[in-house]
Amino acid sequence: MRKLIIVAILLGSMVQGIFAQKIEIKGTVCDASHIAIEYANVVLQTIDSTFVNGVTTDPEGQFIFKNTTEGDYRIVISSIGYNTAYITLDGVKRHTDLGQIVLDSAAIALEGVTITGSRQISRADRKLVFPSERQLKTSTNGVNLLQEMMLPRILVNPMNNTIGLSGGGELQLRINGVKAEIDEVKALRPADIVRIEYHDNPGLRYGNAEIVLDYIVRRPDTGGSFGTDISQGVNAMWGNYNIYGKINHKKSELGFSYFAGPRDFNGSYRDNEEEFHLADGTILQRLELGEPSKLTLAQHNANVNYSLQISENSLFSAAFRMYANNQPHWDYKGILYNANDITDKVNMIDLTKRNWSRPSLDLYYQHNLKNKQTLVFNLVGTYNREKSNRTYQESIENEILTDIDNYTSGNKYSLIAEAIYEKQFSKGNALSFGINHTQSYSNNEYRNGHSYETNMHQGNSYIFSEYRGKLNKLDYRLGIAMTRFYYNQSGDNNSTVNYSFNPSLVLHYTISDNSYLRWKGNIYNASPSLADLSDVEQAVDSFQIRRGNPNLKSYMCYYTELAYEWRKGIFYTNVWGAYDYRPNAIMDEKIQEGNKIIQTWNNQKDWQKVSGRIMFRLGPIHDILQLSFTGGVNHYMSHGHEYSHTYTNWFCEAEASVSYKKFSLYWQINTNWNNFWGETLSGGENIQAFGVYYKHKDLRVGLGAFNPFTNDYKVQSENWNKFASYKTSNYIKESSRLFTVSVSYNFSFGRTFKTAQRKVNNSDNDSGVMSTGK
């Protein structure tokens, strides 16, 4: 009987186990702005930390554990860039929905996760790149952090503290989704940067940008921070001075930044070879032998911004920006020789004074609606003021043979308004559409023996819609846009109105966790600048005149690219190729009128560019050494009504970064990548830069050198026109073997964090004034 009771108990336990309720535990992981976090690791454990199950979140940030038995559990959620979350579940007996689980951002040390390299998560539309602890510790701002991370196509010029693209193209900088200026990136504290979102196939809302760098930054809701970053030339008057700060109180944030960049060089000169074919059959070859002259300028950039987190779902911000540049000297002096008779020579001076200022006011509002919907409104008003005075003279002893005095004064007023709607669906699908309108008015005065005054109106409207979807391993993005361009110059009864249709398609195929293949194609519209449209003439020298063309038309651009990426451990490779075709492109041309050569612009036949690039990156090795090498080629085909040119430019870039304890070393070399447009070859820079730094807590000091192994720093340009060609080399003696010292210091106090992200920003940087230089 006793044995029967034991058997019955065992059978009852088995039956209870078989028929015990199987429950589901699910939830949604998001950040402080309620934006879903993809690929977060979610682990189900027992209370004593025994592993039960593990999953990752889907594109909606959702996870689910199925067929789970009743009991006590702990859920551990982690994702690169966020603090790990721990959730304890006592006595779970039924289906459980945990709802939204918010992960707090973490910039350096993440609980449960240690970032030892430039970790990266690839998505169809962007890469999430997380700086390593080493990179954060050795950097002092958002620019030199980017230098340490060695991202594809990104070129950091440490001399001018600028960021550009290898092979050319438009780079767009953003902070928490907001279009930002370079000085605002310089003001970022590395400790506040969670990650950089690297958009190498940006959508229609980003306009014609080829690359978008979006710095995702934590925003504190209390406390503040202040800092300064100063670099000074030892053997030349060259400096980059930055000061910045932020104060937060509850829902408000007040921030400021200021940059000053003085330059005072005495070794600026140019050598020039020119050949003129005049209408009377005369052929003249001239050689310009330059003499050291003065180059002086002072840059001043200031930014004051205020933001208010009205509620959990609403954000308002206002920013006042003031950019100014005063250039009292950009002087060239030398002697002009007749190449066929060296006794036939004249003295030459070419002096340019220029100053401009650009204040702007930026108002922004964002509201997050239910069901993953977002509305964004942005309004930007800008005033561009520019004045320049160019004096050009050719003389023999005290006799002036050619005397040109060009004075230009320009005023441009613009208003940019934008509205965007975004809606996210399940499985990573999303829909967005928006409208952007720019209205500008410019009033320019030109005096050069004659007096011209131009009043120009321009309007540009842009409407777009874009859908992002996913089919297994294939992600796709389909976009449609419509552009309207309007232009009128006062005194001209004819107005120009153009409409264009702009489709785009992106296909992104995930081959494995370590590699993908992506194809991109789009059609977009390019409009003439106000400066090129000006119905104005200006003398350049004794033979040449520059003339605007009010009959220029907008034109279409057709672009396609193919990219492959592979990464494994410390190895990374990116292979990229592109083709760019622009029929009716606005390009330069020159025509003969008597014994004068007229430089102007016209809608030419077409311009084409074939590009290729391959990048290798190795590291970080033992969190100490990282190396990067990029090689590429640009092949240009430029076809005008009266000319046809091809040009091929090979370029390479190499970087090395070494860090050990409190010391770091950086080395960079870039061979020049050149641009060819119309009949003009615009040369890039050959740069070598070296720096060694020591950092202790919030203080960093360093020594650097620019172009330490050359004494003839120069930038070359050429024009291949059959009537008036030239080959020019511009030298700045102080840019060779320039040694610098740098000091950076920042501190913070009483900071706790709550993130709010702004998604758009607009700016107008075009003064609308025709250039007066040679």
Side-chain angles (χ1 to χ4, degrees):
M1 184 67 180
R2 184 177 178 182
K3 292 182 178 180
L4 290 175
I5 292 174
I6 293 174
V7 171
I9 292 173
L10 291 174
L11 289 173
S13 299
M14 293 175 63
V15 170
Q16 183 179 6
I18 293 171
F19 292 100
Q21 182 182 4
K22 297 296 183 179
I23 61 177
E24 293 181 353
I25 302 174
K26 64 181 181 180
T28 302
V29 182
C30 63
D31 63 14
S33 296
H34 303 285
I35 298 175
I37 300 176
E38 300 180 61
Y39 311 118
N41 296 312
V42 186
V43 176
L44 183 67
Q45 301 175 345
T46 62
I47 295 301
D48 62 359
S49 299
T50 301
F51 177 85
V52 176
N53 197 358
V55 296
T56 58
T57 56
D58 64 16
E60 300 299 313
Q62 298 173 352
F63 68 89
I64 185 170
F65 294 108
K66 298 181 179 180
N67 300 321
T68 304
T69 58
E70 298 175 358
D72 300 331
Y73 295 101
R74 176 185 289 119
I75 293 179
V76 182
I77 305 173
S78 62
S79 181
I80 295 174
Y82 299 91
N83 289 329
T84 300
Y86 300 89
I87 301 171
T88 300
L89 304 176
D90 294 325
V92 179
K93 296 181 179 180
R94 60 180 61 88
H95 296 313
T96 302
D97 187 350
L98 300 175
Q100 280 196 348
I101 302 167
V102 178
L103 297 189
D104 294 326
S105 296
I108 303 178
L110 311 181
E111 291 182 3
V113 179
T114 300
I115 301 176
T116 58
S118 293
R119 297 286 298 279
Q120 166 181 312
I121 296 175
S122 293
R123 297 182 179 177
D125 58 337
R126 64 192 184 278
K127 298 181 181 68
L128 310 185
V129 188
F130 299 89
S132 70
E133 185 175 355
R134 174 189 68 85
Q135 293 165 344
L136 291 169
K137 284 183 177 180
T138 58
S139 304
T140 60
N141 60 50
V143 174
N144 53 47
L145 173 63
L146 192 66
Q147 190 175 44
E148 288 283 340
M149 297 177 73
M150 301 183 185
L151 298 177
R153 290 199 68 190
I154 302 301
L155 285 180
V156 178
N157 185 330
M159 184 171 186
N160 298 318
N161 239 347
T162 58
I163 306 172
L165 290 183
S166 172
E170 180 184 342
L171 171 69
Q172 199 174 104
L173 299 174
R174 292 179 177 253
I175 300 174
N176 286 342
V178 179
K179 190 175 181 182
E181 300 287 344
I182 182 68
D183 295 299
E184 295 170 72
V185 174
K186 294 176 190 175
L188 293 179
R189 298 176 70 249
D192 293 339
I193 299 173
V194 177
R195 66 182 183 272
I196 295 178
E197 298 196 352
Y198 175 88
H199 299 251
D200 55 353
N201 60 333
L204 291 178
R205 57 166 293 187
Y206 298 103
N208 297 330
E210 290 193 27
I211 301 289
V212 175
L213 293 179
D214 192 357
Y215 288 78
I216 305 303
V217 179
R218 298 187 298 168
R219 169 184 168 172
D221 57 4
T222 60
S225 64
F226 294 91
T228 184
D229 193 338
I230 297 173
S231 297
Q232 178 61 54
V234 176
N235 54 333
M237 182 55 238
W238 171 94
N240 285 331
Y241 313 138
N242 295 275
I243 184 171
Y244 47 86
K246 284 185 180 180
I247 297 177
N248 298 81
H249 180 67
K250 295 182 179 179
K251 297 181 178 181
S252 297
E253 178 180 84
L254 179 66
F256 74 92
S257 65
Y258 173 73
F259 166 76
R263 308 285 190 268
D264 191 4
F265 302 149
N266 294 304
S268 173
Y269 66 100
R270 76 183 178 208
D271 292 334
N272 192 20
E273 301 176 17
E274 299 176 298
E275 183 171 301
F276 299 104
H277 293 250
L278 307 180
D280 62 3
T282 300
I283 299 176
L284 175 63
Q285 292 178 302
R286 293 202 304 187
L287 303 178
E288 177 184 332
L289 181 62
E291 300 174 355
S293 303
K294 199 166 186 62
L295 190 162
T296 305
L297 61 88
Q299 308 165 72
H300 300 277
N301 301 335
N303 175 47
V304 179
N305 56 78
Y306 170 78
S307 66
L308 175 65
Q309 187 72 45
I310 301 172
S311 67
E312 187 176 298
N313 296 313
S314 299
L315 172 69
F316 168 78
S317 73
F320 175 78
R321 300 181 178 94
M322 179 66 177
Y323 298 95
N325 189 315
N326 181 30
Q327 176 196 297
H329 293 282
W330 199 296
D331 301 346
Y332 292 108
K333 298 178 182 179
I335 299 176
L336 294 177
Y337 292 88
N338 185 332
N340 297 315
D341 182 2
I342 60 174
T343 62
D344 181 9
K345 60 183 180 180
V346 297
N347 297 315
M348 183 278 302
I349 62 170
D350 190 350
L351 315 177
T352 301
K353 300 178 182 179
R354 179 174 178 254
N355 65 79
W356 58 264
S357 60
R358 189 173 69 244
S360 67
L361 180 63
D362 181 339
L363 303 176
Y364 174 92
Y365 177 74
Q366 175 183 328
H367 189 74
N368 298 327
L369 305 173
K370 295 180 179 179
N371 302 319
K372 300 180 181 178
Q373 301 177 90
T374 303
L375 280 174
V376 173
F377 301 95
N378 190 212
L379 187 67
V380 181
T382 305
Y383 168 54
N384 283 280
R385 183 197 66 83
E386 179 172 346
K387 291 185 179 181
S388 68
N389 189 206
R390 175 177 179 255
T391 299
Y392 178 87
Q393 292 181 345
E394 296 175 12
S395 62
I396 298 178
E397 296 180 350
N398 295 324
E399 181 183 359
I400 297 178
L401 306 177
T402 301
D403 188 7
I404 297 172
D405 187 9
N406 289 333
Y407 171 80
T408 303
S409 176
N411 297 278
K412 180 187 175 186
Y413 310 84
S414 69
L415 188 66
I416 304 174
E418 183 170 43
I420 294 176
Y421 168 81
E422 296 178 338
K423 165 64 178 175
Q424 294 185 16
F425 302 99
S426 61
K427 299 181 181 180
N429 298 340
L431 173 69
S432 64
F433 59 85
I435 182 171
N436 178 296
H437 180 75
T438 301
Q439 190 68 42
S440 61
Y441 166 76
S442 66
N443 172 257
N444 299 328
E445 179 185 0
Y446 301 88
R447 293 203 304 265
N448 50 16
H450 301 280
S451 182
Y452 302 91
E453 184 173 342
T454 63
N455 297 281
M456 295 180 287
H457 300 263
Q458 187 177 33
N460 214 344
S461 299
Y462 180 72
I463 301 174
F464 74 88
S465 179
E466 193 166 54
Y467 183 79
R468 186 174 72 243
K470 185 177 180 66
L471 295 172
N472 297 322
K473 292 187 176 182
L474 179 67
D475 292 89
Y476 62 91
R477 191 174 71 230
L478 176 63
I480 300 174
M482 178 70 72
T483 302
R484 177 186 182 270
F485 170 75
Y486 165 84
Y487 162 75
N488 175 263
Q489 181 165 309
S490 297
D492 186 351
N493 295 324
N494 297 319
S495 297
T496 299
V497 180
N498 293 107
Y499 294 88
S500 64
F501 177 71
N502 313 129
S504 68
L505 177 64
V506 178
L507 301 176
H508 179 103
Y509 184 76
T510 302
I511 300 172
S512 68
D513 292 339
N514 301 319
S515 64
Y516 70 78
L517 186 67
R518 187 186 65 239
W519 175 84
K520 173 183 177 181
N522 66 308
I523 301 173
Y524 60 95
N525 183 68
S527 302
S529 69
L530 289 179
D532 293 345
L533 287 164
S534 300
D535 191 10
V536 172
E537 284 190 357
Q538 287 191 313
V540 176
D541 56 26
S542 52
F543 293 102
Q544 300 178 91
I545 295 173
R546 181 175 291 113
R547 177 187 296 167
N549 183 359
N551 298 314
L552 297 174
K553 305 295 182 183
S554 297
Y555 60 93
M556 303 303 297
C557 305
Y558 303 85
Y559 178 83
T560 184
E561 69 175 43
L562 183 65
Y564 171 76
E565 180 175 291
W566 177 86
R567 56 188 172 90
K568 184 72 172 180
I570 63 173
F571 301 97
Y572 173 87
T573 299
N574 183 286
V575 182
W576 173 91
Y579 174 66
D580 195 342
Y581 173 56
R582 305 185 188 185
N584 303 312
I586 297 173
M587 299 189 292
D588 53 296
E589 69 177 18
K590 297 180 182 180
I591 58 176
Q592 293 174 324
E593 287 188 2
N595 282 332
K596 297 292 184 181
I597 305 296
I598 308 300
Q599 301 180 8
T600 187
W601 297 266
N602 207 344
N603 289 95
Q604 306 292 348
K605 289 182 178 179
D606 65 73
W607 177 88
Q608 301 174 63
K609 177 183 174 183
V610 179
S611 305
R613 185 197 68 245
I614 184 168
M615 175 186 182
F616 300 100
R617 188 175 65 219
L618 178 66
I621 301 173
H622 300 299
D623 204 26
I624 295 176
L625 173 65
Q626 183 168 265
L627 304 170
S628 173
F629 174 82
T630 300
V633 61
N634 295 315
H635 179 68
Y636 300 91
M637 294 163 280
S638 182
H639 304 120
H641 297 300
E642 301 295 333
Y643 58 80
S644 180
H645 303 296
T646 60
Y647 172 72
T648 301
N649 169 228
W650 295 87
F651 62 90
C652 70
E653 299 119 25
E655 299 173 279
S657 174
V658 180
S659 298
Y660 183 71
K661 295 184 178 180
K662 295 183 178 182
F663 291 90
S664 61
L665 180 149
Y666 183 83
W667 173 80
Q668 171 187 350
I669 181 171
N670 300 327
T671 65
N672 55 298
W673 49 266
N674 303 328
N675 182 62
F676 194 89
W677 184 260
E679 295 191 283
T680 303
L681 187 159
S682 302
E685 297 178 281
N686 281 318
I687 297 176
Q688 295 183 58
F690 176 85
V692 59
Y693 307 95
Y694 173 81
K695 189 173 183 182
H696 177 68
K697 296 183 178 179
D698 295 323
L699 175 68
R700 188 181 86 157
V701 295
L703 296 173
F706 296 107
N707 302 311
F709 307 113
T710 181
N711 60 1
D712 63 342
Y713 169 85
K714 61 184 177 182
V715 176
Q716 295 180 308
S717 60
E718 299 179 22
N719 185 275
W720 298 356
N721 183 261
K722 62 183 179 181
F723 299 127
S725 62
Y726 64 78
K727 184 176 182 179
T728 302
S729 297
N730 290 281
Y731 298 83
I732 301 178
K733 182 179 179 180
E734 288 85 352
S735 292
S736 299
R737 298 174 182 171
L738 172 62
F739 295 92
T740 65
V741 294
S742 62
V743 178
S744 302
Y745 179 74
N746 59 67
F747 68 94
S748 61
F749 57 91
R751 291 155 63 86
T752 59
F753 292 91
K754 181 179 292 183
T755 302
Q757 294 185 9
R758 174 176 169 170
K759 293 185 176 293
V760 299
N761 186 270
N762 299 283
S763 63
D764 182 3
N765 302 325
D766 177 14
S767 67
V769 176
M770 179 187 290
S771 171
T772 62
K774 186 170 181 177

